[in-house]
Amino acid sequence: MEKAYFTDLDSTIICSGVTGDDLVCVATKHGKNASFMRKSSKSILEQITEKIITVPITTRCEMSYNNIFLKRLFRHALVDNGAVLVIEDQVERDIWLNESYDISSSVRDQFDSCRKILETYGYTEKWGSNFVLDYVCKGVTESSRENLRIELEKFSGLLINIGKTSAVATFKCLSKGVAINRYAKQFGVIPYLSSGDNKEDESMFGVTQISIGKKNATYCLDTKDKLEFCDFVIRKAAELTE
């Protein structure tokens, strides 16, 4: 069995909102350059994907994932927090998707109710998904965020992450860790390494042998510098896959 490396994308190996002379654009949004990484880190990532099966696992929907130029490096991808398998074989794709709907069926009402509440608070959806609620509200006040947080606590089947201008909700039963276990079983790989920066990623750390993150991982770097963290992840992954 071959080892596999599972990694989050945004703010883990690619960055938005950064500047620098040595950066290369690796993703667009609405036709504009949106995500970047250092040229040296991109080169190292390319070397990593030649040595180990590398599977991106992201809360992005497939439409958003398709804006990432790096996708040429990956044979498969897990989008919508792992609920959707990006693969050429349509039969395998459909089987995975149907299983995701079955797994989440008992919590679907919570997901739909959470969506309605977010929109009541003035949040708008970035792309649209049946498995990830990825919303933004630039004008939300601190008190509104706290009221929203309290109101959403009742949804025990969802992992909810509320930021300053964003809100993301995912199914706990379709966590990234669950997706890795499903993938490992289907494709016969060893879940060796994972990396991520956010709490949606921490479920991966419990199912891979080694992990890289900001908290609760085997190797941690808790920094607010996006590029510093992304460089750390890629260099540590290269070291661990030698």
Side-chain angles (χ1 to χ4, degrees):
M1 294 175 68
E2 291 188 76
K3 293 179 178 179
Y5 169 34
F6 299 86
T7 184
D8 177 49
L9 293 172
D10 296 283
S11 299
T12 296
I13 62 172
I14 66 176
C15 298
S16 61
V18 293
T19 57
D21 295 334
D22 60 340
L23 300 183
V24 58
C25 176
V26 292
T28 59
K29 184 176 182 180
H30 305 312
K32 297 181 179 179
N33 293 350
S35 298
F36 304 84
M37 62 194 307
R38 295 193 199 279
K39 292 179 182 178
S40 56
S41 290
K42 180 175 179 288
S43 177
I44 294 171
L45 177 64
E46 289 169 346
Q47 294 170 30
I48 291 171
T49 62
E50 292 175 357
K51 293 184 294 184
I52 187 171
I53 296 168
T54 305
V55 184
I57 179 166
T58 175
T59 54
R60 286 183 181 233
C61 65
E62 187 170 358
M63 187 181 296
S64 178
Y65 172 72
N66 284 335
N67 290 333
I68 299 175
F69 307 145
L70 297 175
K71 66 178 185 289
R72 64 177 178 79
L73 299 175
F74 314 119
R75 182 183 176 191
H76 302 149
L78 291 163
V79 301
D80 277 315
N81 209 52
V84 175
L85 173 65
V86 178
I87 188 173
E88 287 186 5
D89 189 307
Q90 188 63 45
V91 173
E92 288 190 87
R93 176 190 287 258
D94 291 342
I95 290 173
W96 185 283
L97 181 62
N98 290 334
E99 186 178 63
S100 294
Y101 276 113
D102 288 343
I103 292 170
S104 60
S105 60
S106 64
V107 202
R108 184 59 58 176
D109 288 346
Q110 291 187 31
F111 184 84
D112 294 338
S113 296
C114 183
R115 183 193 297 277
K116 291 177 182 178
I117 291 171
L118 285 170
E119 292 175 355
T120 298
Y121 274 77
Y123 284 76
T124 56
E125 196 165 14
K126 290 182 182 178
W127 292 90
S129 168
N130 289 326
F131 295 99
V132 176
L133 298 176
D134 190 0
Y135 277 70
V136 65
C137 184
K138 294 183 178 179
V140 65
T141 64
E142 186 174 345
S143 60
S144 291
R145 281 199 306 272
E146 185 57 30
N147 290 338
L148 175 64
R149 186 176 288 108
I150 293 170
E151 193 164 352
L152 297 183
E153 283 178 352
K154 62 186 176 184
F155 298 129
S156 59
L158 304 179
L159 177 65
I160 298 169
N161 190 357
I162 300 175
K164 287 185 178 180
T165 61
S166 64
V168 178
T170 55
F171 289 99
K172 290 181 179 178
C173 58
L174 286 173
S175 69
K176 290 187 177 184
V178 169
I180 288 175
N181 282 334
R182 291 172 66 191
Y183 186 94
K185 181 179 179 181
Q186 180 161 335
F187 295 100
V189 299
I190 299 170
Y192 171 64
L193 175 64
S194 60
S195 57
D197 70 298
N198 221 326
K199 70 179 186 178
E200 288 90 7
D201 303 313
E202 293 186 6
S203 63
M204 297 194 291
F205 302 163
V207 299
T208 56
Q209 295 177 6
I210 308 172
S211 54
I212 309 167
K214 288 189 173 180
K215 297 177 181 178
N216 302 316
T218 312
Y219 299 94
C220 297
L221 178 65
D222 192 359
T223 175
K224 293 182 179 179
D225 187 315
K226 292 182 179 181
L227 278 173
E228 181 184 23
F229 182 72
C230 291
D231 292 342
F232 167 75
V233 168
I234 290 173
R235 282 164 174 71
K236 181 58 70 174
E239 175 188 321
L240 294 169
T241 53
E242 282 292 343

